[in-house]
Amino acid sequence: MKARTGANLDDDLAQRGLVRIGAVGDDVLQVSADLTLLGDESERARVTTALGRSLGASPRVEYAELNRIRRAYGGTTPFTPNDTFIGLQWHYPLIRLPEAWGEVRQFITAPGTNVVVGVIDTGRRPHSDLNDNTLTTGFEYDFITDPSIAADGNGPDSNAFDEGDGEGVVPSSYHGTHVAGTIAAVSDNGMGVAGVGSVPVGMSSPTSRVKVVHLRVLGKGGGTDADIARAIRYSAGLTNPGLPTLANKLDIVNLSLGGPGFNSTVQNAVTAARNNQVVVLAAAGNENSSAPSYPAAYANVISVSAVDRNSVRAPYSNFHPTVDVCAPGGDASIDTDGDGYVDGVLSTLISSTGAENFVFYQGTSMACPHAAGLAALIRLVSPMMAAAQVETILTSTATDLGVVGRDNIYGFGLINAFAAVQAAGTGASTMPVLVVSPSALNFAPDTNQLSLALSNGGNGTVDVQTFTGDQPWVTLVNGSAVPGIDIGSLRVTIDRSNPLLAANGTYGAIISITTSNAGNVMVPVTVVVSAPFLPDVDLFVLAIDLGVDPPETVAQTIVNPAFDGLDYSLDELSTLDGQLLPPGDYLIVCGSDENDDGFICGDGDVYCGLYPTLSDPALVRVSGDVAGIDFVVAPIDSGAALTALSGGAVRGIPVPRYARLRAPARN
C-alpha cells in the first residue's frame, strides 16, 4: 500500500491489526495481518481481501492492493486423473484443462470452502461417479409448478429427483445428470469420467471443492419461464413468495436450456443474481440459427456456443451477437479419429431402466457446463472475485477462433482453462507464449482441410519461425497472419491422392511449430481412410404424430443402405391414405426391425436414430415441403453408452411401424 504524502498511518494499521513487514522503494509499504487462527484457506483469502479494500478506502491511503503470488511459467505439471474413460474425454485437452488442473493443485493445497454450481435443468438422478460432489438436503429444489409437467404428483418441493422429461415415444434425456457430470463428476477415483471443476486439491480423497446443486425446472415437455426465474432467484439467495430461501447463495449457475422469445421476468431474475455476484452461464442454442435464444441472449448472461473436436463450429450451434465464448459441444454424427466412439461429449447418465452409464451427448448444452466448470475453478483460486471479473477472465483468456477478434460464431474464442486459472490468481506469464488450438487435428474420411488457431497466451509478441509436417501428404499454409504479431491461423490440407494413403486405415503425422521466443508446439494429426460401410439392412423411416394418444405413425418409408443409399422421402407414397402429410409437428425416427415384431428401436433391434439426435430429439414442423432433415442412424450400442460400467445396453424407443408395408424382395 502507498500512503498519501505526509499521512501518518499508525492508526489505520492498528485498527485493522496490520503490521509493517517490508517496503518497496521509499513510499510503498508491505503490510500483513496474522490470520493463523482462521484455519480455512478461503476464509483467510476473504479476510485479506476485505482488509485491503478497507485500507484502500482510508483518506490517508493512495492505494492498497493484494500482494499476489506469481510462479515461473512452464513449471506446472499437467494433472491427468486415473478415471477409466479420461482418454475418451477429448474435450479436456482441447481447452488445456490438464494444465489448469496442475496449476490449481499447485496453487491450492488444503481443504476450504466449496464453490457451488447450480444446475438449473431436469433435476438429479443418483450416480456413483457424481454423488460425492452433489449437494442435496438444504440445497436442491424442484421448482416445477404444474404437476402435469413435474410428473411427480405435486408442485414445488425440496426433492429435485428427475422424473424424466420424455413424452410419448420420445425418451427421457436425464439431461441434468449429464450436464452435472461435465461440471463435477468425481475425478481421480479410478472409475468413469472426470468433471471440469472436480480436480482434487491437496487431499487424500478424490472429492473436490467444486460441488453441484440440482434445481429442477424441466419436466415433461420442458419448463416455464416463471419456474426458471424462481430457480435463478433461489440460486442467488433471493426470496420467492411461498418458497424457501437458500441460506447461502450459489457461486455459479448453469442454464443448458432455452428457446426463442424475451421474458422480462427472467431478465430481471438474471440481473438480480448477477448483482448478487452469481455468475450466470447459458447455452447459445442448437438451432443452427442467428436468431437469439434465451436465456443465453439476456444481458448479464455468459452465452456459450459449441465447437467440435477440431475447434470448428459444431453444425448445430447458434451464432449471434450475444455469444461470449465457445466450448466443446461435440458432434455425435462423426468419429474423426476412428477409435470406434462418436465425437460427442462423454459424461454421467442413466439408462431408461435407471442403470448407471456414461453416454456421449452433443449440443451447446454440453458446451455450457465446460465454461461453468471453468468459472468454478476461477472462483476456487480467487474466492472473492466479482461476477463481472469472472466473465472478463473467461473472455480475455479465450483462444481466438475464426476472424480476428470477437465474432458471432465463437464469441471471444475457445475457453482456455490454463490461461484463465493463471489470470485468476496464480499469475499470467509476462513472456510471450504460443498457444495452438486445437491441440490435435482429426481428419474424418470426408474431411481434407482444417485449421489451427495460433495465439499468444502471455504478453509481448510471438515470433513464429517455422511450421512443418513430417509426412508428404500434409500441406501447411499460413492462412491469416495477424499484422505485427507473427501468428494467426495455419491451414492444414491432406492430400488423399498420395500413394501412402491408399489403403484403408488410420494414419498419423506431426506438425511442428517453432518460435524464437515463445516455445515450440507439436500437434498430432490423425487421418482416417476408409470406404463407407453400407450394411444390407432394411431401415424404416417414420413420421410420428405426438399430438394423439397413443402417438401415431402417419408416414413410413423403407431404405436399405446397401441397395438404396440413405436418402429418404416421406410423401404421399408413404402414407396410409395416399395423401401428403398435413401441416403439423412430427417426430422423425428411423430404425431396423431384426426381430420382426412390428416395432423398431426395441429389444433385439440393432439400428436406431431420431432427428436431430437420439439423445436430444426435436419435432419437425411441416407446412409445405421440408428438406434436409438429416440425422444419424447407428447401432443402438455404438457410441451410445460405455457398457463396461452401464450394466447393460441403452435401449432405444419401441415405435410401431406399418405392419402391412414391407421391404421389397432383394435378389
Side-chain angles (χ1 to χ4, degrees):
M1 48 79 58
K2 182 179 180 180
R4 296 191 183 277
T5 303
N8 186 310
L9 299 180
D10 290 345
D11 288 344
D12 289 279
L13 299 181
Q15 289 171 5
R16 296 168 177 83
L18 296 168
V19 296
R20 296 175 173 86
I21 62 171
V24 180
D26 296 329
D27 54 1
V28 175
L29 295 179
Q30 184 181 354
V31 299
S32 179
D34 183 2
L35 303 179
T36 54
L37 294 179
L38 298 177
D40 188 305
E41 178 187 17
S42 61
E43 181 66 10
R44 292 196 300 271
R46 187 190 68 78
V47 172
T48 301
T49 303
L51 286 171
R53 289 175 178 170
S54 172
L55 186 61
S58 169
R60 290 169 292 279
V61 174
E62 184 172 325
Y63 67 80
E65 58 191 2
L66 297 177
N67 184 27
R68 295 187 179 275
I69 296 172
R70 311 292 175 176
R71 291 184 172 87
Y73 185 81
T76 300
T77 301
F79 174 70
T80 302
N82 62 11
D83 302 83
T84 310
F85 301 133
I86 191 66
L88 295 174
Q89 293 185 280
W90 54 266
H91 29 108
Y92 290 170
L94 192 67
I95 61 173
R96 302 192 72 193
L97 188 58
E99 294 95 329
W101 282 338
E103 189 78 356
V104 170
R105 285 169 62 84
Q106 178 175 292
F107 184 71
I108 299 176
T109 58
T113 302
N114 292 328
V115 175
V116 186
V117 182
V119 178
I120 299 180
D121 214 290
T122 64
R124 171 185 54 83
R125 277 296 181 114
H127 196 292
S128 58
D129 203 23
L130 185 56
N131 294 340
D132 285 347
N133 287 339
T134 302
L135 303 179
T136 54
T137 304
F139 289 92
E140 72 173 33
Y141 206 80
D142 180 351
F143 291 89
I144 300 178
T145 306
D146 186 339
S148 66
I149 296 176
D152 60 2
N154 55 34
D157 57 39
S158 59
N159 182 5
F161 184 81
D162 186 348
E163 299 287 352
D165 58 340
E167 289 187 298
V169 299
V170 179
S172 292
S173 66
Y174 306 110
H175 190 268
T177 299
H178 196 279
V179 168
T182 297
I183 297 169
V186 180
S187 299
D188 210 38
N189 62 342
M191 66 168 285
V193 295
V196 172
S198 63
V199 56
V201 287
M203 294 176 280
S204 58
S205 166
T207 305
S208 80
R209 282 173 48 187
V210 172
K211 308 293 184 182
V212 290
V213 169
H214 288 277
L215 306 177
R216 185 174 185 241
V217 299
L218 301 180
K220 300 294 182 183
T224 69
D225 280 338
D227 291 343
I228 292 169
R230 280 187 281 264
I232 294 171
R233 289 184 57 83
Y234 175 86
S235 70
L238 303 172
T239 59
N240 289 297
L243 298 178
T245 302
L246 192 62
N248 297 301
K249 69 179 179 66
L250 309 184
D251 298 281
I252 318 287
V253 164
N254 185 98
L255 291 152
S256 286
L257 51 83
F262 179 89
N263 182 278
S264 296
T265 301
V266 180
Q267 173 65 85
N268 292 338
V270 166
T271 301
R274 177 67 170 253
N275 290 341
N276 214 24
Q277 302 310 317
V278 177
V279 181
V280 183
L281 304 98
N286 299 337
E287 292 78 30
N288 184 26
S289 168
S290 62
S293 178
Y294 298 93
Y298 289 130
N300 299 313
V301 173
I302 302 172
S303 174
V304 186
S305 64
V307 297
D308 64 17
R309 69 181 301 158
N310 286 317
S311 294
V312 176
R313 182 182 78 91
Y316 51 79
S317 184
N318 285 358
F319 40 95
H320 189 264
T322 61
V323 170
D324 295 295
V325 292
C326 60
D331 185 348
S333 70
I334 54 177
D335 172 17
T336 55
D337 63 352
D339 66 352
Y341 295 100
V342 296
D343 291 350
V345 170
L346 185 63
S347 187
T348 49
L349 207 69
I350 64 164
S351 71
S352 57
T353 64
E356 295 180 359
N357 52 31
F358 302 89
V359 176
F360 293 95
Y361 273 9
Q362 71 171 29
T364 57
S365 282
M366 286 58 256
C368 190
H370 283 80
L374 177 54
L377 289 179
I378 292 171
R379 277 272 171 89
L380 191 62
V381 301
S382 189
M384 298 302 295
M385 183 172 288
Q389 290 176 285
V390 175
E391 178 175 358
T392 296
I393 285 182
L394 284 173
T395 57
S396 64
T397 61
T399 301
D400 190 21
L401 300 177
V403 299
V404 176
R406 196 215 155 270
D407 60 70
N408 293 349
I409 295 175
Y410 304 106
F412 288 95
L414 178 66
I415 58 171
N416 185 324
F418 185 39
V421 166
Q422 281 194 313
T426 64
S429 172
T430 59
M431 301 295 291
V433 180
L434 176 64
V435 177
V436 179
S437 181
S439 56
L441 287 177
N442 297 274
F443 289 83
D446 59 349
T447 303
N448 296 326
Q449 189 174 98
L450 294 169
S451 293
L452 293 169
L454 281 61
S455 61
N456 187 354
N459 290 291
T461 300
V462 172
D463 177 24
V464 175
Q465 291 184 312
T466 64
F467 40 86
T468 58
D470 67 350
Q471 295 295 331
W473 37 264
V474 175
T475 301
L476 308 174
V477 176
N478 192 348
S480 59
V482 180
I485 309 175
D486 191 13
I487 56 176
S489 68
L490 191 61
R491 191 165 60 248
V492 183
T493 303
I494 302 301
D495 179 11
R496 293 185 180 270
S497 66
N498 190 293
L500 295 175
L501 299 180
N504 288 349
T506 301
Y507 299 83
I510 296 291
I511 296 173
S512 299
I513 305 171
T514 66
T515 75
S516 64
N517 63 343
N520 303 323
V521 174
M522 291 192 298
V523 179
V525 175
T526 300
V527 176
V528 178
V529 177
S530 66
F533 171 65
L534 299 175
D536 181 2
V537 60
D538 293 326
L539 298 175
F540 297 83
V541 188
L542 315 177
I544 300 174
D545 182 1
L546 299 181
V548 296
D549 189 17
E552 179 183 0
T553 299
V554 296
Q556 172 183 290
T557 190
I558 300 173
V559 297
N560 186 303
F563 294 92
D564 311 316
L566 289 169
D567 290 340
Y568 70 95
S569 179
L570 295 170
D571 51 25
E572 67 271 20
L573 298 178
S574 61
T575 60
L576 279 174
D577 58 9
Q579 303 296 314
L580 290 172
L581 269 72
D585 295 332
Y586 298 95
L587 185 75
I588 309 300
V589 58
C590 177
S592 56
D593 183 20
E594 279 83 359
N595 61 8
D596 200 28
D597 64 351
F599 290 82
I600 63 172
C601 297
D603 289 334
D605 300 329
V606 176
Y607 292 91
C608 187
L610 275 169
Y611 173 81
T613 70
L614 187 61
S615 63
D616 191 17
L619 298 179
V620 174
R621 173 152 295 179
V622 174
S623 57
D625 291 344
V626 181
I629 307 302
D630 302 328
F631 58 103
V632 174
V633 179
I636 295 175
D637 300 333
S638 175
L642 299 175
T643 56
L645 293 180
S646 71
V650 176
R651 275 292 132 199
I653 48 172
V655 180
R657 57 174 176 79
Y658 292 166
R660 70 172 183 82
L661 181 57
R662 305 299 303 165
R666 306 291 183 184
N667 294 323

